[in-house]
Amino acid sequence: MDDSKTDGESSQTTRRSSPLFWVVSILFLGYAILLIVLAILTSNPILISPRQLQQSDLIVHGKVISIDEGGVTFHVEEVFRGENVPESIRVRSLNPESLAAGQEWLVPLRIVGSEEYRVTPLNSDRRNQPTALIYPADPSSIANLKSRLSSGELSP
């Protein structure tokens, strides 16, 4: 007798909790999708090295014109730091395998000779090969660079 009463109570409990279960499940699924979308849209922002910018004589926005063993030639689109910069510059110390003609980059440079430029290294540790790093020239990285330079915190 007690068993039949227990079965009736459990079936009523199941009927009442079933819609609640589905509402909670749908809310959880929506929240999980929102987190995934936010992670995709906001992941891996470009971070420009403050030390690299401080040590740069020139900072330019350039488009790759040509690539060969001697270096990479950029057409200068915009100059953020420096004076008397030619329209095209030849840069050594870049890995040409990761570049293609037509790509646009933000390039922090050191002047090492008459019309000879090298990418400002991230580190000056003599034991390790200095890393030459340039940044994709997309609207967010250009805005980031302009705001850092205008704040004065990176002026040499």
Side-chain angles (χ1 to χ4, degrees):
M1 287 188 203
D2 289 333
D3 290 338
S4 65
K5 188 175 183 181
T6 306
D7 285 340
E9 287 176 5
S10 79
S11 67
Q12 282 181 339
T13 305
T14 304
R15 284 187 206 129
R16 278 191 234 134
S17 66
S18 181
L20 179 61
F21 171 77
W22 288 109
V23 168
V24 170
S25 296
I26 290 170
L27 287 174
F28 174 75
L29 182 63
Y31 182 68
I33 290 171
L34 174 70
L35 289 178
I36 291 169
V37 168
L38 287 174
I40 290 170
L41 294 177
T42 60
S43 65
N44 301 327
I46 295 172
L47 300 175
I48 300 173
S49 167
R51 177 179 287 164
Q52 191 180 26
L53 295 179
Q54 284 175 340
Q55 297 174 351
S56 295
D57 301 319
L58 300 173
I59 302 171
V60 299
H61 168 197
K63 182 184 276 187
V64 177
I65 297 173
S66 66
I67 303 167
D68 57 34
E69 293 106 23
V72 178
T73 304
F74 287 92
H75 177 267
V76 176
E77 304 282 325
E78 186 175 3
V79 178
F80 298 103
R81 179 185 289 158
E83 296 176 0
N84 302 325
V85 179
E87 282 188 34
S88 65
I89 56 175
R90 186 156 184 79
V91 180
R92 300 185 188 283
S93 74
L94 276 175
N95 181 5
E97 295 165 2
S98 61
L99 302 173
Q103 292 179 331
E104 295 186 23
W105 297 92
L106 296 176
V107 188
L109 298 166
R110 303 289 312 256
I111 301 171
V112 292
S114 176
E115 296 188 26
E116 184 177 349
Y117 305 94
R118 291 190 187 272
V119 174
T120 306
L122 284 175
N123 56 10
S124 58
D125 187 6
R126 302 232 190 304
R127 291 173 283 168
N128 296 328
Q129 180 70 15
T131 305
L133 182 62
I134 59 176
Y135 306 92
D138 59 20
S140 65
S141 61
I142 291 172
N144 182 337
L145 175 63
K146 286 180 178 179
S147 70
R148 286 176 166 225
L149 292 175
S150 67
S151 70
E153 68 186 68
L154 299 177
S155 297

